[in-house]
Amino acid sequence: MALTERQLKLYNYLLNKNGWANRIEILTDLKEDYNFVDNGNLYNNKSANHLTEDVRALNNNPDIRKLIISNSNFGIKIADQQEALQFMQRDYIANMKRLQKHYRLQEKLNKHGQYAFISGDVIKETQAFKR
């Protein structure tokens, strides 16, 4: 998927920034792109939501070769080698926990006849739940 002009501007902004940049700083510096109005609440701010979406889009794009990390205390930055390694370790652990939860739920559903799992991913309702 192609990146938007706003996402490319954010990426270039982060490339030229040394260290962390907090969200308000980024939104203020890129005010025209994010239509930022500081209402005092970053959690219910449309511009801040777009910033988060853009960071995800940059990390999901195979053409962007740098990992962008975010931290609610420090802000957003392009990870150095050590930070990227730590991020990947934490991501691996989180994914393993999600997978364990998935298998626990799958086992629970199968035990009580709520769902029959077909080919690992597809869930089909059993006759007991069809009315």
Side-chain angles (χ1 to χ4, degrees):
M1 184 157 100
L3 294 173
T4 66
E5 186 178 331
R6 183 180 72 199
Q7 291 165 346
L8 290 172
K9 282 184 181 179
L10 173 63
Y11 181 63
N12 287 324
Y13 175 87
L14 293 171
L15 280 176
N16 294 321
K17 194 77 175 165
N18 277 339
W20 294 98
N22 70 39
R23 292 176 183 277
I24 293 176
E25 178 185 350
I26 294 169
L27 292 171
T28 302
D29 290 346
L30 300 175
K31 188 175 189 168
E32 300 81 32
D33 297 302
Y34 285 98
N35 299 320
F36 178 60
V37 177
D38 190 0
N39 62 7
N41 187 353
L42 214 51
Y43 292 102
N44 290 326
N45 191 306
K46 194 173 193 174
S47 300
N49 292 338
H50 288 308
L51 178 60
T52 300
E53 291 169 4
D54 288 348
V55 168
R56 287 184 184 144
L58 290 169
N59 278 334
N60 289 334
N61 190 300
D63 296 331
I64 300 296
R65 306 258 166 124
K66 303 276 186 182
L67 175 67
I68 300 169
I69 57 175
S70 63
N71 180 305
S72 48
N73 292 327
F74 302 115
I76 299 171
K77 74 178 268 192
I78 293 182
D80 61 25
Q81 188 174 8
Q82 184 64 31
E83 291 165 333
L85 179 61
Q86 290 171 350
F87 175 86
M88 292 304 293
Q89 289 170 338
R90 285 192 308 269
D91 188 57
Y92 175 79
I93 291 168
N95 285 332
M96 293 309 294
K97 287 180 180 179
R98 279 187 220 107
L99 192 57
Q100 288 172 343
K101 178 183 177 185
H102 171 80
Y103 285 128
R104 279 194 308 273
L105 292 174
Q106 181 178 344
E107 184 178 317
K108 183 178 185 176
L109 293 175
N110 280 335
K111 264 186 192 175
H112 299 288
Q114 289 174 312
Y115 290 99
F117 285 83
I118 301 170
S119 75
D121 295 324
V122 181
I123 301 173
K124 179 181 176 186
E125 288 185 90
T126 61
Q127 295 297 323
F129 283 93
K130 291 184 179 178
R131 294 181 188 218

